[in-house]
Amino acid sequence: MKVCELLALLRDVDPSSTVLFLEDYSDLSETDEILDVIVPDQVWTYETGRCGRERYSVRYPEPFEQRGEADGYRDVAHTTERVVLLVNGVTNYRRMRLPERLPPPRGLDDAKT
């Protein structure tokens, strides 16, 4: 989903609504509240391909490094993209001191936990 799609979906939503996250295959009672939004300064890598017989896709903040057939990878492709992270708990993003486009909200600094 792109940010513009999310904004369009939220256009007519009550702004005092609570934002929740529901994991794949979760029961509705297993929702988590979104506590933070991180907007990384650097672009991320989006990589797709096959490892063995399985298709995979992964996103990560490091530059792309070529994977070879000797390691079981094939049909590997990659692009770079801007991302927004919706966070429902403590992460290591801020502890790694990665640059952000926006300052962290007060009281939600992961480095203190």
Side-chain angles (χ1 to χ4, degrees):
M1 175 177 281
K2 302 291 184 194
V3 170
C4 62
E5 295 169 316
L6 178 60
L7 291 174
L9 288 170
L10 297 176
R11 179 180 45 235
D12 297 323
V13 173
D14 179 352
S16 64
S17 298
T18 300
V19 179
L20 300 177
F21 178 76
L22 186 61
E23 189 79 46
D24 242 0
Y25 300 105
S26 292
D27 183 79
L28 292 179
S29 65
E30 299 175 302
T31 60
D32 285 315
E33 183 175 353
I34 298 299
L35 300 176
D36 195 2
V37 176
I38 297 174
V39 183
D41 193 35
Q42 80 277 20
V43 296
W44 283 37
T45 300
Y46 175 55
E47 178 182 325
T48 60
R50 289 189 171 279
C51 185
R53 294 181 175 201
E54 301 294 320
R55 293 193 70 56
Y56 75 92
S57 67
V58 64
R59 288 177 169 88
Y60 49 87
E62 295 86 18
F64 174 74
E65 289 188 27
Q66 187 63 48
R67 302 175 191 268
E69 288 191 28
D71 298 321
Y73 291 91
R74 59 191 169 88
D75 303 326
V76 176
H78 73 283
T79 58
T80 57
E81 62 186 9
R82 293 260 176 221
V83 300
V84 173
L85 306 173
L86 301 179
V87 181
N88 64 351
V90 175
T91 71
N92 66 350
Y93 189 93
R94 292 198 176 107
R95 277 184 259 171
M96 294 174 65
R97 302 195 189 285
L98 297 171
E100 297 180 52
R101 295 176 67 93
L102 302 172
R106 289 182 173 261
L108 293 176
D109 185 1
D110 287 342
K112 295 179 183 175
T113 57

